[in-house]
Short mmCIF file of all heavy atoms in Angstrom, two decimals:
data_model
loop_
_atom_site.label_atom_id
_atom_site.label_comp_id
_atom_site.label_asym_id
_atom_site.label_seq_id
_atom_site.Cartn_x
_atom_site.Cartn_y
_atom_site.Cartn_z
N LEU P 94 -183.77 -8.07 -64.51
CA LEU P 94 -185.04 -8.78 -64.49
C LEU P 94 -185.97 -8.24 -65.57
O LEU P 94 -186.54 -9.01 -66.36
CB LEU P 94 -185.67 -8.61 -63.10
CG LEU P 94 -186.66 -9.67 -62.63
CD1 LEU P 94 -185.95 -11.01 -62.43
CD2 LEU P 94 -187.30 -9.23 -61.30
N ARG P 95 -186.11 -6.92 -65.62
CA ARG P 95 -187.00 -6.32 -66.61
C ARG P 95 -186.50 -6.56 -68.03
O ARG P 95 -187.28 -6.89 -68.94
CB ARG P 95 -187.12 -4.82 -66.35
CG ARG P 95 -188.12 -4.11 -67.28
CD ARG P 95 -187.79 -2.65 -67.43
NE ARG P 95 -186.45 -2.49 -67.99
CZ ARG P 95 -185.61 -1.52 -67.65
NH1 ARG P 95 -185.95 -0.63 -66.75
NH2 ARG P 95 -184.41 -1.45 -68.23
N ALA P 96 -185.20 -6.42 -68.25
CA ALA P 96 -184.66 -6.60 -69.59
C ALA P 96 -184.89 -8.02 -70.09
O ALA P 96 -185.03 -8.24 -71.30
CB ALA P 96 -183.16 -6.28 -69.59
N HIS P 97 -184.95 -8.97 -69.17
CA HIS P 97 -185.14 -10.37 -69.56
C HIS P 97 -186.61 -10.79 -69.51
O HIS P 97 -186.91 -11.96 -69.30
CB HIS P 97 -184.28 -11.27 -68.69
CG HIS P 97 -182.84 -11.23 -69.03
ND1 HIS P 97 -182.33 -11.75 -70.20
CD2 HIS P 97 -181.77 -10.69 -68.38
CE1 HIS P 97 -181.03 -11.54 -70.24
NE2 HIS P 97 -180.65 -10.91 -69.16
N GLY P 98 -187.50 -9.84 -69.70
CA GLY P 98 -188.88 -10.18 -69.97
C GLY P 98 -189.83 -10.12 -68.80
O GLY P 98 -191.04 -10.32 -68.98
N HIS P 99 -189.35 -9.88 -67.60
CA HIS P 99 -190.24 -9.85 -66.44
C HIS P 99 -190.94 -8.49 -66.35
O HIS P 99 -190.34 -7.45 -66.62
CB HIS P 99 -189.46 -10.08 -65.16
CG HIS P 99 -188.80 -11.43 -65.10
ND1 HIS P 99 -187.61 -11.70 -65.73
CD2 HIS P 99 -189.17 -12.58 -64.47
CE1 HIS P 99 -187.28 -12.96 -65.51
NE2 HIS P 99 -188.20 -13.52 -64.76
N ASN P 100 -192.20 -8.54 -65.95
CA ASN P 100 -192.92 -7.29 -65.68
C ASN P 100 -193.24 -7.11 -64.20
O ASN P 100 -193.92 -6.17 -63.82
CB ASN P 100 -194.19 -7.17 -66.52
CG ASN P 100 -195.16 -8.32 -66.29
OD1 ASN P 100 -195.02 -9.10 -65.34
ND2 ASN P 100 -196.13 -8.46 -67.17
N ALA P 101 -192.72 -8.02 -63.36
CA ALA P 101 -193.01 -7.94 -61.93
C ALA P 101 -191.87 -8.56 -61.14
O ALA P 101 -191.12 -9.41 -61.64
CB ALA P 101 -194.33 -8.65 -61.60
N VAL P 102 -191.76 -8.14 -59.88
CA VAL P 102 -190.80 -8.71 -58.95
C VAL P 102 -191.53 -9.05 -57.66
O VAL P 102 -192.35 -8.27 -57.17
CB VAL P 102 -189.63 -7.73 -58.67
CG1 VAL P 102 -190.12 -6.39 -58.14
CG2 VAL P 102 -188.63 -8.34 -57.71
N SER P 103 -191.25 -10.23 -57.16
CA SER P 103 -191.80 -10.65 -55.87
C SER P 103 -190.73 -10.46 -54.82
O SER P 103 -189.57 -10.87 -55.02
CB SER P 103 -192.24 -12.12 -55.93
OG SER P 103 -192.57 -12.61 -54.65
N VAL P 104 -191.08 -9.85 -53.69
CA VAL P 104 -190.07 -9.55 -52.67
C VAL P 104 -190.58 -9.89 -51.28
O VAL P 104 -191.53 -9.29 -50.80
CB VAL P 104 -189.62 -8.07 -52.75
CG1 VAL P 104 -190.79 -7.12 -52.67
CG2 VAL P 104 -188.61 -7.76 -51.66
N PRO P 105 -189.96 -10.89 -50.62
CA PRO P 105 -190.26 -11.11 -49.21
C PRO P 105 -189.64 -9.98 -48.37
O PRO P 105 -188.61 -9.42 -48.72
CB PRO P 105 -189.58 -12.45 -48.90
CG PRO P 105 -189.11 -12.99 -50.21
CD PRO P 105 -188.97 -11.83 -51.14
N VAL P 106 -190.31 -9.68 -47.26
CA VAL P 106 -189.79 -8.68 -46.32
C VAL P 106 -189.64 -9.39 -44.98
O VAL P 106 -190.59 -9.49 -44.21
CB VAL P 106 -190.72 -7.46 -46.20
CG1 VAL P 106 -190.07 -6.37 -45.35
CG2 VAL P 106 -191.09 -6.92 -47.57
N PRO P 107 -188.45 -9.92 -44.67
CA PRO P 107 -188.31 -10.73 -43.46
C PRO P 107 -188.29 -9.89 -42.19
O PRO P 107 -187.55 -8.92 -42.07
CB PRO P 107 -186.96 -11.45 -43.68
CG PRO P 107 -186.23 -10.61 -44.65
CD PRO P 107 -187.24 -9.91 -45.50
N TRP P 108 -189.10 -10.31 -41.25
CA TRP P 108 -189.25 -9.63 -39.98
C TRP P 108 -187.91 -9.55 -39.24
O TRP P 108 -187.56 -8.52 -38.66
CB TRP P 108 -190.30 -10.39 -39.17
CG TRP P 108 -190.86 -9.75 -37.96
CD1 TRP P 108 -190.49 -8.57 -37.38
CD2 TRP P 108 -191.92 -10.27 -37.15
NE1 TRP P 108 -191.25 -8.33 -36.26
CE2 TRP P 108 -192.13 -9.35 -36.10
CE3 TRP P 108 -192.70 -11.43 -37.22
CZ2 TRP P 108 -193.11 -9.56 -35.11
CZ3 TRP P 108 -193.67 -11.64 -36.25
CH2 TRP P 108 -193.88 -10.71 -35.22
N ASN P 109 -187.15 -10.64 -39.25
CA ASN P 109 -185.90 -10.67 -38.48
C ASN P 109 -184.86 -9.69 -39.00
O ASN P 109 -184.01 -9.20 -38.26
CB ASN P 109 -185.32 -12.09 -38.41
CG ASN P 109 -185.02 -12.69 -39.77
OD1 ASN P 109 -185.27 -12.08 -40.81
ND2 ASN P 109 -184.49 -13.90 -39.77
N HIS P 110 -184.92 -9.38 -40.27
CA HIS P 110 -183.96 -8.46 -40.89
C HIS P 110 -184.18 -7.03 -40.42
O HIS P 110 -183.26 -6.21 -40.46
CB HIS P 110 -184.11 -8.57 -42.41
CG HIS P 110 -183.13 -7.75 -43.21
ND1 HIS P 110 -181.78 -7.76 -43.00
CD2 HIS P 110 -183.34 -6.89 -44.25
CE1 HIS P 110 -181.18 -6.96 -43.88
NE2 HIS P 110 -182.10 -6.42 -44.63
N HIS P 111 -185.40 -6.74 -40.00
CA HIS P 111 -185.78 -5.36 -39.69
C HIS P 111 -186.06 -5.11 -38.22
O HIS P 111 -186.25 -3.94 -37.85
CB HIS P 111 -187.04 -4.98 -40.49
CG HIS P 111 -186.85 -4.97 -41.97
ND1 HIS P 111 -186.38 -3.88 -42.66
CD2 HIS P 111 -187.04 -5.94 -42.89
CE1 HIS P 111 -186.31 -4.17 -43.95
NE2 HIS P 111 -186.69 -5.41 -44.13
N SER P 112 -186.11 -6.13 -37.39
CA SER P 112 -186.55 -5.94 -36.01
C SER P 112 -185.52 -6.47 -35.02
O SER P 112 -185.49 -7.66 -34.72
CB SER P 112 -187.91 -6.63 -35.79
OG SER P 112 -188.37 -6.41 -34.47
N PRO P 113 -184.70 -5.58 -34.44
CA PRO P 113 -183.70 -6.04 -33.46
C PRO P 113 -184.28 -6.30 -32.08
O PRO P 113 -183.65 -6.98 -31.28
CB PRO P 113 -182.71 -4.88 -33.42
CG PRO P 113 -183.54 -3.67 -33.76
CD PRO P 113 -184.57 -4.15 -34.74
N ALA P 114 -185.46 -5.77 -31.81
CA ALA P 114 -186.06 -5.92 -30.48
C ALA P 114 -187.57 -5.69 -30.61
O ALA P 114 -188.05 -5.10 -31.59
CB ALA P 114 -185.46 -4.91 -29.50
N PRO P 115 -188.36 -6.16 -29.64
CA PRO P 115 -189.82 -5.97 -29.71
C PRO P 115 -190.17 -4.50 -29.88
O PRO P 115 -189.66 -3.63 -29.17
CB PRO P 115 -190.31 -6.51 -28.36
CG PRO P 115 -189.26 -7.49 -27.93
CD PRO P 115 -187.96 -6.93 -28.43
N GLY P 116 -191.03 -4.24 -30.86
CA GLY P 116 -191.50 -2.88 -31.09
C GLY P 116 -190.55 -1.99 -31.85
O GLY P 116 -190.88 -0.85 -32.17
N LYS P 117 -189.34 -2.48 -32.16
CA LYS P 117 -188.37 -1.70 -32.91
C LYS P 117 -188.27 -2.22 -34.33
O LYS P 117 -188.11 -3.42 -34.54
CB LYS P 117 -187.00 -1.75 -32.24
CG LYS P 117 -186.96 -1.09 -30.87
CD LYS P 117 -185.56 -1.11 -30.29
CE LYS P 117 -185.50 -0.42 -28.93
NZ LYS P 117 -184.14 -0.42 -28.35
N HIS P 118 -188.35 -1.30 -35.30
CA HIS P 118 -188.31 -1.70 -36.71
C HIS P 118 -187.39 -0.75 -37.45
O HIS P 118 -187.56 0.47 -37.38
CB HIS P 118 -189.71 -1.70 -37.31
CG HIS P 118 -190.68 -2.56 -36.56
ND1 HIS P 118 -191.58 -2.05 -35.65
CD2 HIS P 118 -190.84 -3.90 -36.55
CE1 HIS P 118 -192.29 -3.04 -35.12
NE2 HIS P 118 -191.84 -4.17 -35.65
N ASP P 119 -186.44 -1.30 -38.16
CA ASP P 119 -185.40 -0.52 -38.82
C ASP P 119 -185.53 -0.69 -40.33
O ASP P 119 -185.36 -1.79 -40.86
CB ASP P 119 -184.03 -1.01 -38.35
CG ASP P 119 -182.89 -0.17 -38.90
OD1 ASP P 119 -183.15 0.71 -39.74
OD2 ASP P 119 -181.74 -0.39 -38.49
N PHE P 120 -185.84 0.41 -41.02
CA PHE P 120 -185.95 0.40 -42.47
C PHE P 120 -184.95 1.38 -43.08
O PHE P 120 -185.27 2.09 -44.04
CB PHE P 120 -187.38 0.73 -42.89
CG PHE P 120 -188.38 -0.34 -42.55
CD1 PHE P 120 -189.10 -0.28 -41.37
CD2 PHE P 120 -188.57 -1.43 -43.39
CE1 PHE P 120 -190.01 -1.28 -41.05
CE2 PHE P 120 -189.47 -2.43 -43.07
CZ PHE P 120 -190.20 -2.35 -41.90
N THR P 121 -183.74 1.40 -42.51
CA THR P 121 -182.70 2.28 -43.01
C THR P 121 -181.59 1.46 -43.64
O THR P 121 -181.48 0.24 -43.46
CB THR P 121 -182.10 3.12 -41.86
OG1 THR P 121 -181.46 2.24 -40.91
CG2 THR P 121 -183.18 3.92 -41.15
N GLY P 122 -180.72 2.13 -44.38
CA GLY P 122 -179.53 1.49 -44.94
C GLY P 122 -179.86 0.30 -45.81
O GLY P 122 -180.64 0.39 -46.76
N VAL P 123 -179.27 -0.85 -45.49
CA VAL P 123 -179.49 -2.05 -46.29
C VAL P 123 -180.88 -2.62 -46.07
O VAL P 123 -181.25 -3.61 -46.71
CB VAL P 123 -178.43 -3.13 -45.98
CG1 VAL P 123 -177.04 -2.62 -46.31
CG2 VAL P 123 -178.51 -3.61 -44.54
N ARG P 124 -181.65 -2.00 -45.19
CA ARG P 124 -183.02 -2.45 -44.91
C ARG P 124 -184.07 -1.47 -45.44
O ARG P 124 -185.22 -1.50 -44.99
CB ARG P 124 -183.19 -2.64 -43.39
CG ARG P 124 -182.34 -3.75 -42.81
CD ARG P 124 -182.22 -3.67 -41.30
NE ARG P 124 -181.44 -2.51 -40.91
CZ ARG P 124 -180.10 -2.50 -40.88
NH1 ARG P 124 -179.43 -3.59 -41.21
NH2 ARG P 124 -179.46 -1.42 -40.53
N ASP P 125 -183.69 -0.63 -46.38
CA ASP P 125 -184.55 0.47 -46.83
C ASP P 125 -185.61 -0.05 -47.82
O ASP P 125 -185.41 -0.03 -49.04
CB ASP P 125 -183.69 1.55 -47.48
CG ASP P 125 -184.46 2.85 -47.68
OD1 ASP P 125 -185.71 2.81 -47.67
OD2 ASP P 125 -183.81 3.89 -47.84
N LEU P 126 -186.72 -0.50 -47.28
CA LEU P 126 -187.81 -1.02 -48.12
C LEU P 126 -188.37 0.07 -49.02
O LEU P 126 -188.72 -0.19 -50.18
CB LEU P 126 -188.91 -1.61 -47.24
CG LEU P 126 -190.16 -2.12 -47.95
CD1 LEU P 126 -189.82 -3.26 -48.90
CD2 LEU P 126 -191.22 -2.56 -46.94
N ASP P 127 -188.48 1.28 -48.52
CA ASP P 127 -189.00 2.38 -49.32
C ASP P 127 -188.14 2.58 -50.56
O ASP P 127 -188.65 2.76 -51.67
CB ASP P 127 -189.03 3.65 -48.48
CG ASP P 127 -189.69 4.81 -49.20
OD1 ASP P 127 -190.93 4.89 -49.20
OD2 ASP P 127 -188.95 5.65 -49.78
N LEU P 128 -186.82 2.51 -50.40
CA LEU P 128 -185.91 2.66 -51.54
C LEU P 128 -186.12 1.53 -52.54
O LEU P 128 -186.14 1.77 -53.76
CB LEU P 128 -184.46 2.68 -51.05
CG LEU P 128 -183.39 2.67 -52.14
CD1 LEU P 128 -183.49 3.91 -53.02
CD2 LEU P 128 -182.00 2.56 -51.53
N PHE P 129 -186.25 0.30 -52.08
CA PHE P 129 -186.45 -0.80 -53.01
C PHE P 129 -187.74 -0.62 -53.81
O PHE P 129 -187.76 -0.81 -55.03
CB PHE P 129 -186.50 -2.14 -52.26
CG PHE P 129 -186.65 -3.32 -53.18
CD1 PHE P 129 -185.53 -3.91 -53.74
CD2 PHE P 129 -187.90 -3.82 -53.51
CE1 PHE P 129 -185.65 -4.99 -54.62
CE2 PHE P 129 -188.04 -4.90 -54.38
CZ PHE P 129 -186.90 -5.48 -54.94
N LEU P 130 -188.83 -0.23 -53.14
CA LEU P 130 -190.10 -0.05 -53.84
C LEU P 130 -190.04 1.12 -54.81
O LEU P 130 -190.63 1.05 -55.90
CB LEU P 130 -191.23 0.13 -52.82
CG LEU P 130 -191.48 -1.08 -51.90
CD1 LEU P 130 -192.60 -0.77 -50.91
CD2 LEU P 130 -191.80 -2.33 -52.70
N ARG P 131 -189.35 2.18 -54.44
CA ARG P 131 -189.17 3.29 -55.38
C ARG P 131 -188.38 2.85 -56.60
O ARG P 131 -188.72 3.20 -57.74
CB ARG P 131 -188.44 4.47 -54.70
CG ARG P 131 -189.23 5.20 -53.66
CD ARG P 131 -188.68 6.61 -53.44
NE ARG P 131 -187.24 6.67 -53.31
CZ ARG P 131 -186.57 6.57 -52.17
NH1 ARG P 131 -187.24 6.33 -51.05
NH2 ARG P 131 -185.26 6.68 -52.15
N THR P 132 -187.32 2.08 -56.36
CA THR P 132 -186.50 1.62 -57.47
C THR P 132 -187.28 0.71 -58.40
O THR P 132 -187.17 0.81 -59.63
CB THR P 132 -185.25 0.90 -56.93
OG1 THR P 132 -184.57 1.74 -56.00
CG2 THR P 132 -184.31 0.53 -58.06
N ALA P 133 -188.08 -0.19 -57.83
CA ALA P 133 -188.90 -1.08 -58.66
C ALA P 133 -189.85 -0.28 -59.52
O ALA P 133 -190.07 -0.61 -60.70
CB ALA P 133 -189.66 -2.07 -57.77
N ALA P 134 -190.45 0.77 -58.97
CA ALA P 134 -191.37 1.60 -59.75
C ALA P 134 -190.61 2.35 -60.85
O ALA P 134 -191.09 2.46 -61.99
CB ALA P 134 -192.09 2.60 -58.83
N GLU P 135 -189.42 2.85 -60.53
CA GLU P 135 -188.62 3.54 -61.54
C GLU P 135 -188.22 2.61 -62.67
O GLU P 135 -188.07 3.05 -63.82
CB GLU P 135 -187.38 4.14 -60.88
CG GLU P 135 -187.69 5.31 -59.96
CD GLU P 135 -186.53 5.67 -59.04
OE1 GLU P 135 -185.47 5.02 -59.14
OE2 GLU P 135 -186.70 6.60 -58.22
N GLU P 136 -188.07 1.33 -62.36
CA GLU P 136 -187.71 0.34 -63.38
C GLU P 136 -188.94 -0.29 -64.02
O GLU P 136 -188.82 -1.28 -64.75
CB GLU P 136 -186.80 -0.73 -62.79
CG GLU P 136 -185.47 -0.19 -62.30
CD GLU P 136 -184.71 0.58 -63.35
OE1 GLU P 136 -184.87 0.27 -64.55
OE2 GLU P 136 -183.98 1.53 -62.99
N ARG P 137 -190.12 0.24 -63.74
CA ARG P 137 -191.38 -0.15 -64.39
C ARG P 137 -191.73 -1.61 -64.14
O ARG P 137 -192.15 -2.33 -65.06
CB ARG P 137 -191.33 0.14 -65.89
CG ARG P 137 -190.80 1.50 -66.27
CD ARG P 137 -191.65 2.65 -65.78
NE ARG P 137 -192.95 2.68 -66.42
CZ ARG P 137 -193.23 3.33 -67.56
NH1 ARG P 137 -192.26 3.96 -68.19
NH2 ARG P 137 -194.45 3.33 -68.04
N LEU P 138 -191.58 -2.04 -62.90
CA LEU P 138 -191.93 -3.40 -62.51
C LEU P 138 -193.04 -3.38 -61.46
O LEU P 138 -192.97 -2.62 -60.48
CB LEU P 138 -190.70 -4.12 -61.91
CG LEU P 138 -189.57 -4.49 -62.86
CD1 LEU P 138 -188.34 -4.90 -62.07
CD2 LEU P 138 -190.00 -5.63 -63.79
N TYR P 139 -194.06 -4.22 -61.68
CA TYR P 139 -195.03 -4.45 -60.61
C TYR P 139 -194.32 -5.16 -59.45
O TYR P 139 -193.31 -5.84 -59.64
CB TYR P 139 -196.17 -5.34 -61.11
CG TYR P 139 -197.08 -4.72 -62.14
CD1 TYR P 139 -197.01 -5.13 -63.48
CD2 TYR P 139 -198.01 -3.76 -61.78
CE1 TYR P 139 -197.85 -4.58 -64.43
CE2 TYR P 139 -198.86 -3.21 -62.73
CZ TYR P 139 -198.78 -3.62 -64.06
OH TYR P 139 -199.61 -3.08 -65.00
#
Side-chain angles (χ1 to χ4, degrees):
L94 205 66
R95 184 205 60 216
H97 285 290
H99 297 81
N100 58 14
V102 57
S103 171
V104 54
V106 187
W108 193 354
N109 59 358
H110 184 50
H111 296 273
S112 182
K117 294 183 179 180
H118 304 100
D119 185 354
F120 291 94
T121 64
V123 299
R124 295 164 291 277
D125 193 340
L126 176 62
D127 186 82
L128 173 62
F129 182 87
L130 297 179
R131 290 202 314 270
T132 306
E135 290 165 1
E136 297 305 330
R137 313 296 294 271
L138 289 167
Y139 292 107

